[in-house]
Amino acid sequence: MGPSRALPCLVLLFLLSSSRASVLEDTCKSFADGNPGVGYDYCIKFFQASKDSATADKRGLAIIASKLTGAAAKSIGKHIQALKASEKDKHIQSGLNDCRDLYSQAVDLLDVAAKGVAAGTPRGKLDAVANLSGALVSPQTCEDGFSELGVKSPLSAEDSEFTKEVSIALVITNSL
Ligand SMILES: *[C@@H]1O[C@H](CO)[C@@H](O)[C@H](O)[C@H]1NC(C)=O
C-alpha cells in the first residue's frame, strides 16, 4: 500500500477512534454548558470511575451515572455510620440519623432510576427523572437539618459532591 492509500486509512482510523470517545466528551460538553458550576472536567473525571463509559452511548452514560451515584450514596451511608459511632453531640447525632435515612432512600431512588433508563421506554425515563429529582433533594435536606439544629455539618463535602453527581445523572437522563 502506497502513501496515497495509507493516508485515507489513517484518517478513517482516526475518525473511528475519535468518534468513540466523543459520545462521552459531547455529553459532558452539553452538560457543562448548562451547568458551568460543575463543569466539563468534573463530568469527565466522574465517568472515569467506570471503564465502560469510554464506549457507552448516551443512554449507557445515563445508566452509568445513576449507578456510580448510587454507589456514592452507599459509601456516604457507611461514612455516616462511622461518624455516628464516634459522635458525642446529640444534635449532630440527630442530624446524622436523618442524613443516613436520606442517603439510604437515595440508594433506592438511584437504583430505580438506573432501571428506568435501562428500560428505554418513555415511562421508564419519566420514572428515572422523578427518582433522580428526589435524590437531588437529599443532600440539601441533609444540610438543612444541621443548620436547623444550629450545628456545623460534618457532611458538607459529601453533600456537595453528591449534588454534583446526581445533577450529571439527571441532566443526561433528561436529555435522552
Ligand atoms: C420512582 O419511580 C417509581 C416507579 O418505578 C415511582 O413509583 C416512584 O413514585 C418514583 N419515586 C419518586 C420519588 O419519584
Side-chain angles (χ1 to χ4, degrees):
M1 199 191 288
S4 60
R5 288 228 184 146
L7 188 60
C9 279
L10 281 176
V11 169
L12 186 63
L13 270 179
F14 173 77
L15 286 176
L16 281 174
S17 63
S18 66
S19 72
R20 281 199 166 175
S22 75
V23 176
L24 175 60
E25 288 167 3
D26 289 350
T27 303
C28 280
K29 231 171 254 164
S30 44
F31 166 78
D33 284 346
N35 298 269
V38 182
Y40 177 79
D41 290 345
Y42 186 93
C43 178
I44 294 287
K45 209 178 100 229
F46 166 73
F47 278 109
Q48 275 170 355
S50 165
K51 61 174 171 35
D52 294 339
S53 57
T55 52
D57 60 8
K58 208 170 177 191
R59 178 177 308 282
L61 289 175
I63 297 169
I64 290 168
S66 280
K67 286 187 173 168
L68 287 176
T69 309
K74 248 180 220 159
S75 98
I76 294 171
K78 282 193 186 132
H79 183 215
I80 294 174
Q81 285 304 122
L83 288 173
K84 273 176 59 61
S86 62
E87 184 56 58
K88 304 275 188 292
D89 185 292
K90 273 194 183 138
H91 291 302
I92 298 182
Q93 274 289 356
S94 143
L96 287 172
N97 282 337
D98 291 346
C99 295
R100 180 197 51 199
D101 294 348
L102 286 162
Y103 275 102
S104 150
Q105 283 164 24
V107 171
D108 296 339
L109 292 170
L110 290 159
D111 189 46
V112 172
K115 288 182 178 136
V117 176
T121 60
R123 179 62 205 262
K125 181 189 159 176
L126 282 179
D127 285 343
V129 168
N131 279 264
L132 285 164
S133 305
L136 187 62
V137 181
S138 305
Q140 190 54 55
T141 309
C142 169
E143 284 300 294
D144 290 349
F146 289 112
S147 52
E148 279 159 21
L149 292 161
V151 293
K152 188 176 175 301
S153 167
L155 294 171
S156 54
E158 279 94 341
D159 284 329
S160 126
E161 284 284 298
F162 189 77
T163 303
K164 291 180 191 170
E165 296 177 356
V166 182
S167 73
I168 293 173
L170 179 56
V171 168
I172 296 173
T173 300
N174 225 345
S175 76
L176 289 175

